[in-house]
Amino acid sequence: MSSLFGPVVTAMVTPFDGQGVVNYKAAASLARYLAENGSTGLVVAGTTGEAPTLTAAEKLALFRVVSGAVKGKAAVIAGTGCNSTAASVELTRQAAPTGVDGVLLVTPYYNKPSQEGLVAHFKAVAASTALPVMIYNVPGRTGVNMTAETTLRLSEVENIVAVKEASGDLEQAAAIRSGASPDFALYCGDDALTLPMLSIGACGVVSVASNIIGPRVKKMVDSFNLGQAAAAALIHRELLPLFRGLFMVSNPVPVKAALGMIGFDAGLPRLPLLPLNPEQSARLKGLLARYELI
């Protein structure tokens, strides 16, 4: 099954300079690099992009810069969701003129809405835009799980076209795939579960690892979609230690460090996240060397 965002959507990091200011030139360069190395879509200002620490003005500037950098080469999905429905509506409206191809809306975090609250929230934000919407379920970050039943209700909204399912629950993902229409896209939201999710009908992955190994992630997904399940499984098993290593501490700390190690300076994470300590850094370097990335 295909999707208008393609099979490999990279959750792009947000580069900062030495003073912690958004480095828009580096963001454009990274976006172009990703589009040329396996990414069919880019999520900008999502979890991996450190959205909680970005201002609305920074997000909108990133949407414009990245959209301009990869126009026609990769879809750009703007992270406009937060735990305030009104704020999500406002940022989604402001994102539309920046040139993005869709928006990513995370389940509201910290305030722990009910399932009916989730439906009302997503419907309100989706109604504020004509852009395609990908909803995002990541209970490990938000404190609330969006059930398969809720996702299926939302899949009936005309411009809610996809879900990034990062609950880690394969039964839940399978229920979504079984109950949704064929044109509603199910994306894996966890690199380490990409192949299992593909096997139950996911169309692709929203990937952190593709920031640094995009071609290999794309080859795995393409192999599976071409019916080459054994080849895809081999790639998946080979990459699994790296997938896990990129989550040795909270995302995006390891992947930002990894980008620096392979020659792309994305800067340090913003507080409250801290850089890797020396022991973690050495472990990551060893992992990258194992994959001949450095």
Side-chain angles (χ1 to χ4, degrees):
M1 190 179 94
S2 62
S3 162
L4 56 85
F5 303 130
V8 178
V9 178
T10 297
M12 186 178 131
V13 307
T14 298
F16 300 129
D17 66 18
Q19 286 70 50
V21 176
V22 176
N23 187 335
Y24 296 104
K25 183 177 179 180
S29 296
L30 179 59
R32 285 190 290 267
Y33 170 80
L34 295 173
E36 293 166 0
N37 285 276
S39 297
T40 57
L42 305 173
V43 169
V44 180
T47 307
T48 309
E50 298 179 72
T53 72
L54 297 173
T55 67
E58 287 173 330
K59 292 177 184 179
L60 291 167
L62 279 167
F63 301 158
R64 292 189 190 94
V65 166
V66 174
S67 295
V70 300
K71 194 71 173 177
K73 297 177 182 177
V76 177
I77 307 164
T80 59
C82 69
N83 63 343
S84 162
T85 303
S88 299
V89 166
E90 181 59 25
L91 186 58
T92 299
R93 286 175 173 164
Q94 292 177 350
T98 65
V100 298
D101 301 290
V103 297
L104 178 76
L105 303 178
V106 68
T107 49
Y109 40 86
Y110 187 72
N111 38 21
K112 298 185 74 172
S114 66
Q115 296 300 306
E116 288 299 326
L118 291 175
V119 170
H121 169 81
F122 284 124
K123 283 186 173 181
V125 185
S128 73
T129 184
L131 288 170
V133 172
M134 180 188 289
I135 53 178
Y136 177 19
N137 184 39
V138 57
R141 288 271 190 171
T142 64
V144 61
N145 177 54
M146 182 165 59
T147 66
E149 293 77 13
T150 297
T151 300
L152 291 173
R153 287 174 64 186
L154 290 165
S155 74
E156 297 174 358
V157 176
E158 184 177 3
N159 63 327
I160 297 181
V161 301
V163 62
K164 177 185 176 184
E165 177 58 43
S167 67
D169 186 337
L170 293 176
E171 288 188 31
Q172 179 165 292
I176 294 168
R177 182 66 281 148
S178 295
S181 66
D183 58 354
F184 182 75
L186 170 66
Y187 280 92
C188 177
D190 179 347
D191 279 298
L193 290 179
T194 301
L195 188 60
M197 286 279 284
L198 291 173
S199 74
I200 60 173
C203 67
V205 59
V206 180
S207 172
V208 172
S210 56
N211 276 281
I212 59 171
I213 52 165
R216 298 191 212 189
V217 173
K218 180 72 158 45
K219 185 176 181 182
M220 176 178 65
V221 176
D222 286 348
S223 294
F224 183 88
N225 289 336
L226 289 170
Q228 300 166 0
L234 179 61
I235 297 170
H236 179 82
R237 292 193 300 270
E238 289 174 344
L239 295 180
L240 199 54
L242 182 59
F243 291 159
R244 289 173 174 160
L246 290 175
F247 286 83
M248 65 175 70
V249 297
S250 294
N251 179 48
V253 175
V255 73
K256 287 196 91 169
L259 277 167
M261 291 173 188
I262 67 172
F264 190 97
D265 185 7
L268 300 178
R270 280 180 172 173
L271 287 172
L273 296 180
L274 292 174
L276 297 179
N277 64 36
E279 179 182 349
Q280 293 162 344
S281 183
R283 179 182 164 197
L284 182 61
K285 282 183 180 178
L287 199 53
L288 297 180
R290 172 179 169 181
Y291 288 92
E292 300 181 342
L293 294 168
I294 56 174

